Amino acid sequence: MVRQGLPRSSGDDPGAESKSELTTPPAAPPKPDTAAPAVRRGLSVLPDRVIAPATVPVEPAPPGTRPEPAVGRRPIGRTARAILIGVGLIVLLALAVLLARWLVGLDGVRDFMTTYPGQSELPEGAPVGFPAWLGWQHFFNTFLIVLIIRSGWQVRTQKKPPASWTPKWSSGRKISITLWLHQSLDLLWLVNGVIFVVLLFATGQWMRVVPTNWDIIPNAISAGLQYVSLDWPTEHGWVNYNALQLIAYFVTIFIVAPLAAITGVRMSGLWPAQATRLNRLYPVEWARAVHLPVMLYFVAFIIAHVALVLATGALRNLNHMYGGQDAVNWVGFGIFAASLLVIVGGWFAARPLVIAPIASLFGRVGR
């Protein structure tokens, strides 16, 4: 049979094409790109991958451990820091005493202190002595403020409250039992404070703690120089306070105490949470920023107040407030000691075992 198709020349070989394909030399491999950046040392280059050098695993430090200090530097411990601060304060106080003694030795300063002895005259009709209600108010205020400071600090530092409290009238609001104690004591302190201020103005005792003359300022400077120079002003609190005492009582009663109240109410559940405009005018951040310094002020005031009472005639001063008499005997001291036992007892009783049954009367105590 004759094969159909194009004619083929006699020189054509059917296997020529396949032979040429077999005999054709393969294409030369591409030359490496000399312009490519050199491979960094330490890396092994293989045809299809780059292998990074092996690394030694580093075991992480256990949680809670501090990094080791640099060589040649040792961190200052808390005890050493406290000692340094104490020594620094002693040095500053010593320098202040020396400076004050030098000042009071100057003729001009002596004349100033003669004109302003450190005590302002009281208005006519000012009462003398301390009535019994003032002594009781003083005790209640001391008892409450000590427990308020303690519970407030616990609220600030407690990570896991021992229990929670939910009020009967608001099942959706739950607070720690420590915060419930703090706010309950605050309410009692506010009631006691209102009664105190009302009686203060009703009996005329306000004239002893409210400045009524501008000479209170130079007299306060004079009293301050006398304190710092260790030549303390004559104390006769049964009749009149010196200017520094009067200013301190005025600031505590009529400025710091109201600040504690209005900032505490802002952070409590008594504040209307849905009052958008009111919350914008008085943000809770402002209240928090003021409330802690107010507490620290009360701590400093209590320490300074007790120190001065004991250092300027303890028996007479304690008799003034607790014994209701201007005499030097042990009556006031005995009542003061009994009040301290009550305060210490309240301090140790302010724990969930005792608080929970009382809190359960006003809400539900749980975890």
Side-chain angles (χ1 to χ4, degrees), residues 222-243:
S222 175
L225 285 173
Q226 294 175 59
Y227 276 121
V228 178
S229 65
L230 301 183
D231 185 16
W232 289 7
T234 303
E235 294 291 335
H236 197 19
W238 185 257
V239 177
N240 191 8
Y241 296 124
N242 68 54

Side-chain angles (χ1 to χ4, degrees), residues 17-18 35 46 59 80 127 134 147 224 253 278 330 351 364:
E17 185 176 355
S18 60
L46 295 180
E59 184 177 353
L134 190 57
L147 295 184
I253 297 170
L278 190 59
W330 293 89
R351 57 185 61 195
R364 184 174 59 85

Side-chain angles (χ1 to χ4, degrees), residues 19-346:
K19 289 179 181 179
S20 64
E21 291 176 359
L22 293 175
T23 57
T24 302
K31 295 182 179 181
D33 188 2
T34 57
V39 180
R40 289 184 297 175
R41 297 179 63 184
L43 297 179
S44 301
V45 182
L46 295 180
D48 297 329
R49 56 182 176 172
V50 178
I51 302 177
T55 58
V56 179
V58 179
E59 184 177 353
T65 58
R66 296 182 178 179
E68 294 184 0
V71 178
R73 296 177 59 188
R74 296 183 62 184
I76 300 177
R78 292 183 179 179
T79 304
R81 187 181 294 111
I83 293 174
L84 289 176
I85 293 174
V87 172
L89 289 176
I90 292 174
V91 172
L92 289 177
L93 288 175
L95 293 175
V97 170
L98 293 175
L99 178 61
R101 284 186 171 276
W102 174 75
L103 286 174
V104 298
L106 301 177
D107 293 337
V109 177
R110 276 202 301 265
D111 294 340
F112 171 81
M113 295 175 67
T114 302
T115 306
Y116 301 102
Q119 191 176 72
S120 295
E121 294 293 331
L122 293 177
E124 293 185 7
V128 176
F130 300 96
W133 67 263
L134 190 57
W136 281 103
Q137 285 284 321
H138 186 272
F139 163 70
F140 286 137
N141 180 74
T142 305
F143 176 81
L144 292 171
I145 199 67
V146 167
L147 295 184
I148 286 171
I149 292 172
R150 177 181 183 268
S151 59
W153 188 253
Q154 286 179 327
V155 169
R156 186 175 181 85
T157 58
Q158 229 172 32
K159 295 182 179 179
K160 185 178 180 181
S164 64
W165 178 81
T166 305
K168 293 180 178 180
W169 56 88
S170 178
S171 58
R173 177 175 172 264
K174 183 168 70 171
I175 61 176
S176 71
I177 195 170
T178 310
L179 181 57
W180 174 85
L181 173 64
H182 182 70
Q183 294 182 353
S184 301
L185 292 170
D186 285 341
L187 290 176
L188 295 176
W189 182 72
L190 285 174
V191 172
N192 185 68
V194 170
I195 295 173
F196 170 76
V197 172
V198 170
L199 292 175
L200 203 65
F201 283 94
T203 60
Q205 288 286 334
W206 66 269
M207 289 183 277
R208 293 168 54 90
V209 293
V210 176
T212 57
N213 199 315
W214 283 109
D215 70 352
I216 192 72
I217 297 176
N219 274 299
I221 296 173
S222 175
L225 285 173
Q226 294 175 59
Y227 276 121
V228 178
S229 65
L230 301 183
D231 185 16
W232 289 7
T234 303
E235 294 291 335
H236 197 19
W238 185 257
V239 177
N240 191 8
Y241 296 124
N242 68 54
L244 270 184
Q245 289 175 318
L246 193 151
I247 291 175
Y249 292 141
F250 173 78
V251 170
T252 303
I253 297 170
F254 297 103
I255 297 178
V256 180
L259 277 177
I262 61 178
T263 54
V265 170
R266 177 62 182 91
M267 295 186 296
S268 72
L270 299 176
W271 187 265
Q274 305 301 326
T276 306
R277 185 175 181 181
L278 190 59
N279 292 335
R280 188 166 57 249
L281 292 175
Y282 183 21
V284 69
E285 291 78 12
W286 292 5
R288 291 187 182 130
V290 174
H291 203 66
L292 178 62
V294 165
M295 186 202 75
L296 297 178
Y297 170 87
F298 276 117
V299 173
F301 176 83
I302 292 171
I303 293 173
H305 178 63
V306 173
L308 289 175
V309 166
L310 298 179
T312 58
L315 292 181
R316 182 182 293 273
N317 290 332
L318 292 174
N319 251 335
H320 288 173
M321 184 55 66
Y322 291 94
Q325 54 183 317
D326 185 24
V328 180
N329 55 46
W330 293 89
V331 174
F333 178 84
I335 300 174
F336 168 71
S339 71
L340 282 184
L341 292 178
V342 175
I343 293 172
V344 172

